[in-house]
Amino acid sequence: MPELPEAQTIVNELVSEIIGKVILGIEVFDPKFVKQIKTSDIGKKIKGKSVIKVSRRGKAIIIELSQSFNLLIQLGMTGGLILLNPDQPQKYIRYQFLLSNSKVLGFRDMRKFGKIIGYHKEQPEFYPKFLKSLGPEPFSEDFSEKYLLLKKKNRSLSAKDFIMDQKMVAGVGNIYACEILYAAKINPKRKTATLKKKECKRIVQYTREILNRAIKRGGTTIRDYMRLDESYGEYKEKLLVYGRENEPCVKCSTLIKRIRQSNRSTFFCPCCQK
DNA sequence: AGACACCCCTGAGAGC
DNA sequence: TGCTCTCAGGGGTGTC
């Protein structure tokens, strides 16, 4: 399940592969993936344009092309970009780019939650809604203890739902939300209104720390996520609570509990997280 | 505006 | 063996 570190890993690897390359075309195998612009038009819009920049916003990947045309790629639950080898056909490729270096960059997504949006960055009316509503990046100065204190007010949300809210901060999903709250010693069921100043400070600190550590290890592979070259992320072995129901907490040996919040699994230590 | 339910989608794994 | 059911969850939409 790609969250910020997985998206960043893909971006880091894409940079050396596609910057400066010209897009010769796109083949769309499942038109449902193309949003905001007609599937039949996307090829015309990007053909012949070169890749200027590859970046990330939250969990999404942004490919900037010449003439101010951008592609926003949302990975969804199981999506990923991989360089394709024509000799080894891949399943679940939903669309693919043909590049000027004769390489093919494919979007692989088993469960079809991903999407691609094409837009002119100088036409605000077409600017993706998703990008407009995103909260600050976790590594930016805007994401601070002060900001959290302001945002948590008047909200009856749980701490877990709060840090997973993309409008609050961009890029934290279910796995890292569990890990961040464990490191910050905060019970995921706590109402945001009850969070103290020093707890907000810890959320900021550990959000950055954990996401950074995961990026250094190439992200987390639980089931489907893969890197550009199809290798796996190595952060999974560093997870302290996620996926560890009934295993002893590494700090106090209390068994890790699993509950459901907003229809998603939450893992936490009932003893360490107050 | 916030809270919440529901929908999208496929394969793995459990249970019978 | 093979069928059916449940679960995984990011994000959009619709309703109250």
Side-chain angles (χ1 to χ4, degrees):
Chain A
M1 305 132 216
E3 302 181 27
L4 185 150
E6 293 72 38
Q8 186 64 54
T9 301
I10 293 173
V11 167
N12 292 346
E13 293 170 345
L14 273 182
V15 164
S16 56
E17 292 287 347
I18 70 168
I19 297 273
K21 305 291 183 294
V22 175
I23 296 185
L24 302 179
I26 182 173
E27 289 177 296
V28 180
F29 306 115
D30 188 335
K32 279 202 288 287
F33 280 79
V34 182
K35 304 285 180 186
Q36 206 165 297
I37 169 172
K38 281 188 201 147
T39 305
S40 54
D41 284 348
I42 192 162
K44 289 179 219 156
K45 292 277 188 190
I46 65 175
K47 193 175 175 181
K49 294 193 167 97
S50 56
V51 179
I52 307 289
K53 188 179 169 188
V54 182
S55 59
R56 175 194 61 69
R57 182 79 174 89
K59 305 170 189 176
I61 292 169
I62 296 169
I63 299 179
E64 291 182 38
L65 304 178
S66 48
Q67 298 169 43
S68 300
F69 198 78
N70 282 11
L71 296 169
L72 171 72
I73 294 175
Q74 288 182 259
L75 303 170
M77 292 288 303
T78 53
L81 287 163
I82 53 173
L83 286 170
L84 295 169
N85 179 352
D87 300 331
Q88 289 174 307
Q90 277 279 348
K91 277 173 93 174
Y92 314 123
I93 301 298
R94 308 306 179 184
Y95 58 85
Q96 62 188 23
F97 300 101
L98 313 173
L99 304 175
S100 53
N101 58 351
S102 338
K103 288 191 175 172
V104 175
L105 181 68
F107 185 77
R108 182 179 183 274
D109 184 10
M110 183 182 80
R111 284 170 61 191
K112 301 187 178 181
F113 283 95
K115 61 185 70 162
I116 177 167
I117 295 170
Y119 62 101
H120 255 285
K121 63 177 175 184
E122 276 143 32
Q123 293 177 327
E125 65 272 31
F126 297 118
Y127 206 73
K129 253 196 289 179
F130 169 76
L131 284 182
K132 276 193 250 178
S133 66
L134 272 185
E137 284 292 318
F139 301 118
S140 72
E141 279 177 28
D142 293 340
F143 181 62
S144 64
E145 172 190 334
K146 207 172 146 189
Y147 169 77
L148 281 193
L149 284 167
L150 194 74
K151 290 298 266 191
K152 80 181 181 73
K153 276 186 189 160
N154 308 321
R155 297 197 70 177
S156 61
L157 227 57
S158 69
K160 163 96 178 309
D161 289 336
F162 183 53
I163 63 172
M164 275 181 70
D165 180 354
Q166 302 301 300
K167 296 182 197 73
M168 199 285 283
V169 60
V172 178
N174 201 42
I175 297 172
Y176 295 109
C178 292
E179 296 297 315
I180 290 162
L181 289 177
Y182 175 72
K185 297 186 165 71
I186 295 167
N187 189 303
K189 290 182 282 191
R190 281 271 299 281
K191 300 285 179 206
T192 56
T194 72
L195 291 174
K196 303 203 169 51
K197 196 177 166 193
K198 61 178 180 187
E199 291 173 322
C200 289
K201 192 177 173 182
R202 292 209 295 267
I203 289 176
V204 172
Q205 179 195 341
Y206 288 112
T207 298
R208 290 185 177 143
E209 236 179 85
I210 285 171
L211 294 178
N212 243 329
R213 265 188 263 155
I215 292 168
K216 288 205 176 89
R217 294 190 162 259
T220 303
T221 297
I222 295 290
R223 271 205 196 97
D224 310 289
Y225 161 74
M226 262 183 205
R227 296 167 67 161
L228 204 56
D229 60 359
E230 297 182 69
S231 65
Y232 295 105
E234 292 165 3
Y235 194 72
K236 184 173 188 252
E237 58 226 57
K238 298 288 166 192
L239 297 176
L240 297 180
V241 285
Y242 186 87
R244 293 191 179 275
E245 185 184 14
N246 290 329
E247 288 180 38
C249 165
V250 294
K251 290 180 208 157
C252 76
S253 299
T254 302
L255 298 186
I256 299 298
K257 245 181 119 172
R258 168 180 177 158
I259 55 169
R260 285 191 83 72
Q261 287 181 290
S262 305
N263 237 7
R264 277 143 177 83
S265 286
T266 299
F267 299 85
F268 72 108
C269 171
C271 175
C272 295
Q273 293 174 257
K274 300 293 181 196

